[in-house]
Amino acid sequence: FEEIVEGRFKMILSAIVPVYNAEKSIKRCLDSVLAQTYADWELIAVDDGSTDRSLSILNAYAQHDSRIKVLHQSNSMARNAGIDEARGDYLVFIDSDDYIEKDYFQLLSTHRQDVVFIDVNRRNEAGKRLCVERMSASAGKGKDQILREQMTGKFPWGGVRKAVSKAMLDRYSIRYSNHSVGEEAIYSFQAIYYANTISFIDIPVYNYCVHQGSLSQTHTDDPWGAASLFLKDQLTELGLYKQYADTINAFILTACIISVDRIMQKYSKREGINKAKQRIQEMKAELDTANRIDYKHMSHKARLLAPFVLSGWVSPFYYIEKCKAFF
């Protein structure tokens, strides 16, 4: 909803913060929203069954600022609950471990595109900046290229990396699926596919905090596999599969590469090789051999490792992990 102020439209922004046992970090996250130089926002904090002090902290903040709303649930679909509750023109997601720069909302308020990508600082637990994810480096690319690179994960999926028009989400019933990791891929595909306009904020306004061991926080050996097949089914239902079949093949292959890499990290050499070879056989059955593999839109790492996976030679993954551990 936009209000008219002095003859101009005032944009309202909705920040959605899913929360689960985040008592150590949630205050920093909330304070970064309260510090915004742009004041026309609402914050929807969705507590997803926390067993620590998270909910009481959220309620205390809500009592002091009417722009903060607290939802409490325990069905692991926190982001969808936030989307349904939101009344703003744009939705942004903020993870409870992360925080935003004070000018984020001010910069976003100048945009009117359906999807607005933002640059992201990756920081370690001490707050040191590790690198900048420059989503804006893709500003010169066409929508089809961005869409395909998101499908394979070359262009990062995460909901925190973009603001999305609430009207568009509602118009096309875009919501998150219940996949534990790959739901980001499905949400991102829908958002970009239906977007008429895309823009970028070329300043790192979001701080993504990387915790030690975070890459292995999901226990599954195959975090992307189910999502690649779900997206394939979804595109078939929408009548879009033929158009994106080669990129779906690339997604299926990338998912297998990630799975083999994770397997070789977690298991002994012999057990890892057996499990990895089994995963490769599953992947080969999933590939659509009537269509090529879209290597162009895969990440450099995935393209490099693809020949090993396709040939069934998984020992290099084991030695790569040994080298990484050594250095």
Side-chain angles (χ1 to χ4, degrees), residues 135-185:
M135 309 294 284
S136 59
S138 295
K141 298 177 181 178
K143 173 180 166 179
D144 183 73
Q145 184 175 356
I146 292 173
L147 182 64
R148 290 178 186 272
E149 289 183 357
Q150 279 236 324
M151 288 170 68
T152 66
K154 179 180 179 179
F155 187 76
W157 300 333
V160 301
R161 296 174 176 87
K162 54 184 169 289
V164 182
S165 160
K166 176 61 160 61
M168 185 186 72
L169 292 178
D170 289 343
R171 184 182 308 121
Y172 297 106
S173 300
I174 299 172
R175 294 295 188 271
Y176 278 87
S177 71
N178 58 2
H179 291 89
S180 59
V181 176
E183 80 281 0
E184 296 280 15

Side-chain angles (χ1 to χ4, degrees), residues 53-218:
R53 296 180 54 251
S54 294
L55 183 57
S56 62
I57 293 171
L58 294 175
N59 288 333
Y61 271 78
Q63 289 177 0
H64 287 89
D65 196 312
S66 62
R67 295 173 295 179
I68 298 176
K69 304 176 184 178
V70 179
L71 306 181
H72 182 64
Q73 61 171 50
S74 57
N75 64 7
S76 300
M77 297 299 286
R79 284 174 293 195
N80 286 346
I83 294 173
D84 292 340
E85 181 70 20
R87 297 296 179 267
D89 302 290
Y90 275 96
L91 268 70
V92 301
F93 289 98
I94 308 173
D95 287 347
S96 59
D97 287 346
D98 303 338
Y99 58 100
I100 58 178
E101 298 295 326
K102 62 184 177 63
D103 293 327
Y104 179 9
F105 291 175
Q106 182 64 51
L107 291 167
L108 179 57
S109 71
T110 66
H111 290 257
R112 291 295 185 274
Q113 293 77 17
D114 291 330
V115 175
V116 182
F117 289 102
I118 63 171
D119 287 356
V120 173
N121 291 315
R122 293 179 68 89
R123 298 186 183 275
N124 65 14
E125 291 176 290
K128 180 181 178 181
R129 185 164 72 180
L130 304 174
C131 66
V132 179
E133 290 184 2
R134 298 203 178 277
M135 309 294 284
S136 59
S138 295
K141 298 177 181 178
K143 173 180 166 179
D144 183 73
Q145 184 175 356
I146 292 173
L147 182 64
R148 290 178 186 272
E149 289 183 357
Q150 279 236 324
M151 288 170 68
T152 66
K154 179 180 179 179
F155 187 76
W157 300 333
V160 301
R161 296 174 176 87
K162 54 184 169 289
V164 182
S165 160
K166 176 61 160 61
M168 185 186 72
L169 292 178
D170 289 343
R171 184 182 308 121
Y172 297 106
S173 300
I174 299 172
R175 294 295 188 271
Y176 278 87
S177 71
N178 58 2
H179 291 89
S180 59
V181 176
E183 80 281 0
E184 296 280 15
I186 298 163
Y187 172 82
S188 291
F189 174 86
Q190 292 178 316
I192 297 172
Y193 179 78
Y194 287 112
N196 289 320
T197 52
I198 294 173
S199 66
F200 295 81
I201 293 176
D202 60 356
I203 298 172
V205 292
Y206 189 96
N207 295 290
Y208 180 89
C209 299
V210 180
H211 299 282
Q212 187 174 6
S214 62
L215 294 178
S216 57
Q217 63 185 341
T218 313

Side-chain angles (χ1 to χ4, degrees), residues 192-319:
I192 297 172
Y193 179 78
Y194 287 112
N196 289 320
T197 52
I198 294 173
S199 66
F200 295 81
I201 293 176
D202 60 356
I203 298 172
V205 292
Y206 189 96
N207 295 290
Y208 180 89
C209 299
V210 180
H211 299 282
Q212 187 174 6
S214 62
L215 294 178
S216 57
Q217 63 185 341
T218 313
H219 297 297
T220 177
D221 293 343
D222 186 19
W224 287 15
S228 66
L229 298 180
F230 184 87
L231 184 56
K232 180 178 181 178
D233 291 342
Q234 186 176 66
L235 292 181
T236 301
E237 292 177 7
L238 294 171
L240 299 172
Y241 175 69
K242 186 176 180 180
Q243 180 179 352
Y244 296 105
D246 59 339
T247 308
I248 287 293
N249 270 345
F251 189 8
I252 291 171
L253 175 56
T254 300
C256 182
I257 291 168
I258 289 172
S259 179
V260 170
D261 186 53
R262 180 164 294 194
I263 286 169
M264 298 310 289
Q265 290 182 48
K266 291 176 61 177
Y267 300 98
S268 66
K269 182 179 180 181
R270 178 177 296 180
E271 186 178 6
I273 288 175
N274 290 335
K275 286 180 175 291
K277 288 186 174 181
Q278 181 180 349
R279 177 65 185 92
I280 290 171
Q281 290 305 310
E282 293 171 356
M283 178 270 296
K284 289 182 175 180
E286 295 163 355
L287 286 175
D288 182 351
T289 55
N291 289 278
R292 66 183 183 87
I293 297 172
D294 179 11
Y295 291 105
K296 177 182 176 181
H297 295 107
M298 292 171 64
S299 70
H300 177 72
K301 178 181 177 180
R303 290 199 305 270
L304 183 66
L305 295 174
F308 297 108
V309 168
L310 291 170
S311 67
W313 188 26
V314 298
S315 294
F317 284 83
Y318 176 79
Y319 294 111

